[in-house]
Amino acid sequence: MKLNSKIPDGPIEKKWDNHRFNLKLVNPANKRKYTIIVVGTGLAGASAAASLGELGYNVLSFSYHESPRRAHSIAAQGGINAPKNYSNDGDSIWRLFYDTVKGGDYRAREANVYRLAQVSGSIIDQCVAQGVPFARDYAGYLDNRSFGGAQVSRTFYARGQTGQQLLLGAYSALCRQMDVGKVKFFARREMLDVVVIDGQARGVICRNLVTGAIEPYVGDAVVLATGGYGNVFYLSTNAKASNATAIWRAYKRGAAFGNPCYTQIHPTCIPQSGEYQSKLTLMSESLRNDGRIWVPKKKGDTRKPEDIPESERDYYLERIYPAFGNLVPRDVASRAAKRMCDDGYGVGSTGRAVYLDFGAAIKRLGKNVIEERYGNLFDMYHEISAEDPYRTPMRIYPAVHYTMGGLWVDYNLMSSIPGMYVVGEANFSDHGANRLGASALMQGLADGYFVLPYTIGDYLATSKFKQVSAEEASFKETQREVGHYVKKMVSINGKKSAEEFHRELGKIMWDNVGMGRNKAGLKKALAKIPKLREEFWSNLKIVGTASELNMELEKAGRVADFLELGELLAYDALHREESCGGHFREEHQTEEGEAKRNDAKFSYVAAWEYAGANKAPILNKEQLKFEYVKPSQRSYK
């Protein structure tokens, strides 16, 4: 496989503008001749489908939900970044670019990151025009707050429900295009394969989740906007339905998978309370603006937090990282919390938690101000924990959250399959080894609103397409393969549910490929996962049939993919003999316990190529060059 990132020449400030000017255009009258398939209706998918429809293309939009409003993007809480410098504290496009490259531990493409910073300001203007109710200050201007890894306030927010409000804005734009007939929306469809004809992505095969029908859909290009793969760990902050099936099936058709080991552990999640849990709940990083993180100075201290005086509290992030304090990046904060708990300073019944305390902020600002900023988050915590965070500190612990890895894409967001584009969290492109907070919404909307509409036009204008239909042999064959796969799964008739297999996989992943990784643990995972997968295909039990609404069948298909993806993730983590960002190899750390990179050997994107069932994947490398932000030991002290 040859990887061509297609990064344009010239100064980094000019790359996108010059490239955009040189892209070939599709005549407005010709756009209606093309059909583009967009899979996924979260922020990236909804914004892409709406924008492409507005331009005049025919768009087929697919969601496994009954409405785009159900997309997991609504779960994003804290905000969206843009360097508008409304706070007049020194922000700029360059500073956002620098913070993002550094925050990603120098494992992202400079050109992509600069473009992201460059277009992010337009996102805010777009969303304000759509009516997104961003918070405003006393003068009526848009307000900002800080997030980890930055020393400026650049995060625009709508209380603690920013993702939901942004999605409603994109959804309104999508509905407009549905109303005028440029977007045709297909609810309750799950993409199970991509159809490649003459080397081009020309369509998808979906299962109708209501009737069970296996349906072909034809297009001139395919866009995947299906989110990340954090649920490979079973317990994560992702919605239970979040999965990796679309990108995994594309990988098996020839799309390279970039950096699968880069998975993010979020530091502020409600701790697990029992084995019965099937997911974890996120508490927004924005809470670290006013909340102070601490543990008792005495090991095994079981006193109530309010009974522990200030002199006996260790505000460890403020102590270790005085320059950034509680607003260090997520990977740094997560590892610090784990170290404290591993050393015996953890709190709560399990000892796997630290305190997030708002006492000082409430005393300084008043309860009404904290309620105005974070009220719905406090309500959520109270509902889940039965504790009042206005009166007693929250208990938090790191949990799997975001995946920086994803399908490899070039500068135009096209995968290694011509005509198949990947946007948002489903691609690998912008965050390197660690995503800074409030950058997920930024990337999803940047890709959908301001990058893909330009780059996909160039592909359509410069490619030749033969007429194809759903009767084409390639469609019929892929449709038959998908149908056979589904029937095979239902016919196993074993004794264990997909949920049981998923839980077992999650334990293997968290114990061996989780927050701290080492060679022995990774090899153990690589030995255990194939055995579990073998048992899955001989002992799976699915009740019901394939020709009806069957959520157990849906779940089983996704778990089957996780059982393969988990192995690739472990392969990638084992081969990368360094620590960087969310990938922490215990053998490679500084004396202070920080990540220790190996730039001489691993300054590249690991793009894995599918080699066939039960065969080791093939490693391809895209070397990374840093001309503007020189790699250095990442420090937040």
Side-chain angles (χ1 to χ4, degrees):
M1 180 181 290
K2 292 183 179 179
L3 300 176
N4 181 2
S5 60
K6 298 181 181 177
I7 297 172
D9 296 327
I12 198 163
E13 302 94 335
K14 301 288 186 182
K15 284 183 188 293
W16 175 235
D17 289 339
N18 291 341
H19 183 66
R20 190 171 49 175
F21 178 77
N22 290 321
L23 291 172
K24 301 298 181 184
L25 302 177
V26 179
N27 183 296
N30 289 335
K31 286 189 173 79
R32 58 170 128 359
K33 299 178 182 178
Y34 293 104
T35 297
I36 302 173
I37 291 171
V38 180
V39 184
T41 54
L43 280 178
S47 60
S51 300
L52 293 169
E54 188 78 42
L55 285 170
Y57 297 107
N58 300 305
V59 180
L60 306 182
S61 171
F62 297 85
S63 173
Y64 55 68
H65 295 301
E66 71 280 3
S67 167
R69 292 176 296 172
R70 291 283 308 283
H72 187 58
S73 296
I74 68 163
Q77 298 165 343
I80 177 171
N81 288 328
K84 283 184 169 288
N85 197 32
Y86 286 171
S87 301
N88 198 29
D89 56 359
D91 203 8
S92 63
I93 291 172
W94 189 270
R95 189 177 293 277
L96 175 55
F97 161 62
Y98 173 86
D99 287 346
T100 305
V101 173
K102 176 185 174 184
D105 222 349
Y106 307 95
R107 290 295 177 263
R109 281 194 202 129
E110 281 190 328
N112 285 66
V113 176
Y114 192 88
R115 176 176 64 186
L116 177 64
Q118 189 177 358
V119 304
S120 61
S122 299
I123 298 171
I124 305 304
D125 300 336
Q126 170 93 354
C127 295
V128 169
Q130 290 173 339
V132 173
F134 287 121
R136 295 179 180 267
D137 63 19
Y138 69 96
Y141 294 105
L142 296 182
D143 200 10
N144 290 125
R145 57 189 178 198
S146 298
F147 261 63
Q151 291 182 304
V152 296
S153 294
R154 63 163 66 102
T155 304
F156 295 79
Y157 64 98
R159 215 175 183 190
Q161 50 183 260
T162 313
Q164 181 177 14
Q165 298 303 326
L166 290 171
L167 185 60
L168 288 173
Y171 173 64
S172 66
L174 181 61
C175 285
R176 171 179 141 74
Q177 294 308 310
M178 289 162 60
D179 186 58
V180 299
K182 295 310 297 179
V183 174
K184 188 173 182 181
F185 176 65
F186 295 88
R188 304 293 288 146
R189 303 303 202 282
E190 181 162 34
M191 177 193 141
L192 296 182
D193 216 332
V194 60
V195 179
V196 180
I197 299 176
D198 296 336
Q200 296 172 307
R202 294 303 305 270
V204 297
I205 305 297
C206 295
R207 180 173 180 267
N208 185 318
L209 298 181
V210 177
T211 68
I214 306 299
E215 302 171 343
Y217 295 93
V218 182
D220 299 299
V222 175
V223 179
L224 301 187
T226 51
Y229 50 92
N231 273 346
V232 69
F233 290 88
Y234 186 71
L235 283 178
S236 82
T237 66
N238 289 285
K240 286 295 290 178
S242 296
N243 66 85
T245 289
I247 60 172
W248 189 250
R249 304 294 172 89
Y251 163 73
K252 295 175 79 169
R253 287 290 178 187
F257 204 118
N259 299 332
C261 77
Y262 290 160
T263 52
Q264 183 168 82
I265 312 295
H266 198 293
T268 50
C269 299
I270 299 178
Q272 183 181 3
S273 57
E275 288 296 319
Y276 58 86
Q277 272 185 260
S278 60
K279 79 174 299 294
L280 297 172
T281 302
L282 174 70
M283 287 286 100
S284 170
E285 182 180 321
S286 64
L287 294 169
R288 291 197 273 150
N289 274 276
D290 292 304
R292 301 177 71 194
I293 295 173
W294 63 275
V295 292
K297 289 183 177 179
K298 178 184 174 183
K299 290 185 179 181
D301 195 331
T302 58
R303 287 178 293 174
K304 293 180 179 179
E306 55 266 31
D307 294 335
I308 302 176
E310 281 287 316
S311 61
E312 297 178 32
R313 300 179 179 187
D314 180 10
Y315 295 92
Y316 59 88
L317 290 179
E318 298 172 28
R319 170 174 56 83
I320 301 171
Y321 309 102
F324 283 74
N326 294 296
L327 286 172
V328 292
R330 292 173 176 179
D331 61 321
V332 176
S334 294
R335 285 195 296 273
K338 182 178 185 293
R339 282 199 304 270
M340 287 295 161
C341 294
D342 288 348
D343 291 343
Y345 297 99
V347 301
S349 59
T350 63
R352 310 304 293 176
V354 299
Y355 288 126
L356 179 59
D357 195 335
F358 289 85
I362 290 173
K363 186 176 181 180
R364 183 179 74 252
L365 302 170
K367 179 184 175 182
N368 61 319
V369 173
I370 299 301
E371 190 172 13
E372 185 177 297
R373 291 177 179 175
Y374 315 109
N376 64 307
L377 298 172
F378 277 51
D379 292 343
M380 189 190 310
Y381 184 86
H382 180 262
E383 287 296 314
I384 292 171
S385 69
E387 297 174 0
D388 183 357
Y390 292 106
R391 295 176 177 273
T392 188
M394 291 182 180
R395 287 175 295 108
I396 58 169
Y397 191 70
V400 173
H401 180 54
Y402 188 90
T403 52
M404 285 74 66
L407 291 187
W408 180 91
V409 292
D410 63 18
Y411 187 74
N412 293 328
L413 305 182
M414 188 162 71
S415 72
S416 51
I417 298 177
M420 192 179 79
Y421 290 77
V422 191
V423 294
E425 191 180 356
N427 75 32
F428 87 102
S429 67
D430 292 358
H431 306 296
N434 175 60
R435 176 176 70 80
L436 293 183
S439 289
L441 305 184
M442 176 175 65
Q443 187 212 342
L445 292 179
D447 288 354
Y449 282 139
F450 299 111
V451 180
L452 181 71
Y454 288 98
T455 60
I456 202 168
D458 180 76
Y459 169 73
L460 296 173
T462 57
S463 301
K464 293 182 179 179
F465 301 94
K466 74 173 187 179
Q467 283 293 114
V468 299
S469 73
E471 300 303 313
E472 187 91 10
S474 297
F475 271 91
K476 287 294 185 184
E477 176 62 18
T478 308
Q479 191 175 2
R480 186 196 64 78
E481 289 175 4
V482 169
H484 175 73
Y485 182 87
V486 171
K487 288 177 182 176
K488 177 184 175 183
M489 195 172 286
V490 173
S491 66
I492 296 170
N493 199 28
K495 296 180 179 180
K496 289 173 66 173
S497 69
E499 186 79 2
E500 290 177 271
F501 283 106
H502 196 183
R503 192 184 292 273
E504 288 183 42
L505 173 65
K507 181 167 176 49
I508 294 171
M509 295 299 295
W510 181 251
D511 289 348
N512 300 289
V513 202
M515 224 187 312
R517 302 162 177 175
N518 57 59
K519 188 178 228 178
L522 291 168
K523 286 188 172 181
K524 187 183 293 184
L526 288 169
K528 286 185 173 183
I529 293 172
K531 292 179 181 177
L532 184 63
R533 187 168 63 243
E534 185 178 342
E535 184 190 355
F536 175 90
W537 284 104
S538 63
N539 198 28
L540 174 68
K541 175 69 174 181
I542 297 177
V543 295
T545 69
S547 57
E548 61 183 342
L549 177 65
N550 191 335
M551 295 183 72
E552 284 301 305
L553 174 58
E554 295 172 37
K555 190 184 299 182
R558 296 161 185 173
V559 173
D561 294 328
F562 283 140
L563 282 163
E564 296 176 345
L565 195 159
E567 187 173 18
L568 179 66
L569 201 162
Y571 259 114
D572 191 35
L574 182 63
H575 110 277
R576 191 169 282 277
E577 290 274 4
E578 65 165 352
S579 291
C580 55
H583 168 63
F584 191 74
R585 283 287 296 270
E586 293 169 353
E587 306 96 320
H588 305 286
Q589 56 182 302
T590 66
E591 291 182 4
E592 296 81 20
E594 304 292 355
K596 189 175 182 180
R597 295 192 323 272
N598 186 338
D599 293 331
K601 290 187 176 180
F602 294 100
S603 188
Y604 59 75
V605 177
W608 295 91
E609 179 182 352
Y610 183 65
N614 301 313
K615 293 183 179 178
I618 300 166
L619 175 62
N620 300 277
K621 300 177 183 180
E622 179 201 336
Q623 294 295 329
L624 294 170
K625 297 179 181 178
F626 295 92
E627 299 179 57
Y628 299 92
V629 184
K630 298 300 181 183
S632 61
Q633 179 61 42
R634 197 165 50 127
S635 174
Y636 293 93
K637 296 180 179 181

